Amino acid sequence: MTEKGAFRRDMNYLADRVTADGRDGWPVEPGRYRLVIARACPWANRASIVRRLLGLEDVLSMGICGPTHDERSWTFDLDPGGRDPVLGIERLQQAFFARDPEYPRGITVPALVDVASGQVVTNDFKQMTLDFSLEWRAHHREGAPELYPEPLRAEIDDVAEKVFHDVNNGVYKAGFASSQDAYEQAYRDLFGRLDWLSQRLAGQRYLVGDTITEADVRLFTTLVRFDAVYHGHFKCNRAKLTELPVLWAYARDLFQTPGFGDTIDFAQIKEHYYVVHRQVNPTGIVPLGPELSGWLSPHGREELGGRPFGDGTPPGPPPAGERVPELPSAD
């Protein structure tokens, strides 16, 4: 938090990378690492989506923390005995301390953990998904999409950076602001960027090019949480997503695309924000709404053309142990 009451995210993550050539000491190897996420977290949600789209489930296992945590860290309370069945730990904190017993920063998801040593390799969420696309290529499924195609990388990076500052992180800057001025600036930046995105997406199906890219993944995880959490909990209330026609149709299009909506658990998302953020919601009461069936309603975005997976194909259904609750039908 700055002196003027503005929220500032600590972006100093463990910067080691898992690469094809192992130049940081962590080579890509099937079965060696475990991706730890929480369904509630938008940054972790990116990793789970990209892993699904690229078909890395068989080579990169996934541990799922529960939706709430205390000041010590995320916990594996969804697993029998409250212990991750592969890593054998109760708290993600244990994997960070295995890497550095004096680790001074936040215990965050997503995290890639080396199974044999129990050490966190990286929690750098921005680089992690790009490496899934580039460094894990030898293990992609047949028909995996190009989420970070070389000719479009500069544009993807530019759009993603704008979205990060004003939207992904912008909702947090509004929600955690401790001064009126800081809140109002974040609010204006957020909705200014959402208006910009609406204009950009009015005539094209996806953010960059005519296929789904990393940029779409990054925007989606904030949009899908907008009405359930950010509109009320974080005071981002100029309009609901459902009141922004272009972005609402765009978000539904992605939600109904295999690999996106099948990673979303709205109950866990709401429980996390409304229970954990007691400085914002002191009672810990979790709202019953919003109505969710609209996520399955027709979106009409096919008329804009585009090919979701380019020359590739949709991923198959998620593994049995990774399925999320189905939404009620929109009919």
Side-chain angles (χ1 to χ4, degrees), residues 48-277:
S48 67
I49 290 171
V50 172
R51 173 178 171 270
R52 282 271 295 123
L53 295 177
L54 299 179
L56 294 174
E57 294 99 325
D58 290 340
V59 298
L60 178 62
S61 68
M62 188 167 75
I64 304 174
C65 297
T68 63
H69 61 77
D70 58 22
E71 67 280 357
R72 289 177 57 196
S73 83
W74 297 91
T75 56
F76 293 97
D77 48 287
L78 301 177
D79 293 306
R83 188 179 296 272
D84 181 86
V86 173
L87 300 174
I89 57 177
E90 297 175 342
R91 292 177 175 272
L92 182 57
Q93 183 186 57
Q94 294 168 259
F96 279 80
F97 286 173
R99 169 72 181 268
D100 177 2
E102 304 298 326
Y103 185 74
R105 298 186 178 276
I107 309 299
T108 64
V109 289
L112 271 182
V113 181
D114 177 53
V115 174
S117 67
Q119 297 181 21
V120 169
V121 176
T122 181
N123 60 336
D124 186 348
F125 65 88
K126 280 189 172 184
Q127 187 62 47
M128 191 182 299
T129 51
L130 298 181
D131 284 344
F132 286 170
S133 283
L134 302 179
E135 303 294 334
W136 292 70
R137 186 181 297 274
H139 303 286
H140 290 182
R141 65 179 176 86
E142 184 177 356
E146 286 277 354
L147 298 178
Y148 197 50
E150 188 169 5
L152 298 178
R153 286 178 195 171
E155 188 176 0
I156 291 171
D157 291 345
D158 178 63
V159 171
E161 195 65 14
K162 290 180 170 69
V163 167
F164 172 77
H165 284 292
D166 296 335
V167 181
N168 300 146
N169 201 39
V171 293
Y172 287 87
K173 289 191 284 188
F176 290 149
S178 61
S179 74
Q180 188 70 32
D181 287 347
Y183 160 72
E184 291 184 8
Q185 184 62 57
Y187 176 101
R188 288 191 292 269
D189 291 345
L190 166 65
F191 282 99
R193 186 60 63 194
L194 291 178
D195 290 342
W196 179 83
L197 288 163
S198 290
Q199 293 173 5
R200 184 181 184 93
L201 288 164
Q204 62 189 64
R205 191 171 179 185
Y206 303 111
L207 279 173
V208 182
D210 66 350
T211 65
I212 291 167
T213 68
E214 175 82 19
D216 298 294
V217 175
R218 295 186 179 197
L219 177 57
F220 172 78
T221 59
T222 296
L223 294 183
V224 78
R225 288 162 173 76
F226 201 89
D227 287 4
V229 176
Y230 304 140
H231 177 271
H233 184 60
F234 279 173
K235 307 179 186 70
C236 300
N237 61 352
R238 193 192 81 180
K240 297 176 181 176
L241 177 65
T242 54
E243 297 166 345
L244 302 171
V246 172
L247 291 179
W248 175 222
Y250 166 80
R252 297 201 315 277
D253 186 4
L254 290 178
F255 187 91
Q256 294 168 32
T257 300
F260 284 83
D262 55 29
T263 70
I264 302 299
D265 188 318
F266 283 105
Q268 290 194 30
I269 288 169
K270 291 194 298 182
E271 184 178 357
H272 169 71
Y273 284 92
Y274 287 100
V275 171
V276 172
H277 298 162

Side-chain angles (χ1 to χ4, degrees), residues 14-28 32-33 99 119-122 124 127 131 135:
L14 292 169
D16 283 6
R17 294 171 59 188
V18 176
T19 58
D21 62 6
R23 57 187 176 272
D24 286 354
W26 307 103
V28 170
R32 176 168 177 174
Y33 306 97
R99 169 72 181 268
Q119 297 181 21
V120 169
V121 176
T122 181
D124 186 348
Q127 187 62 47
D131 284 344
E135 303 294 334

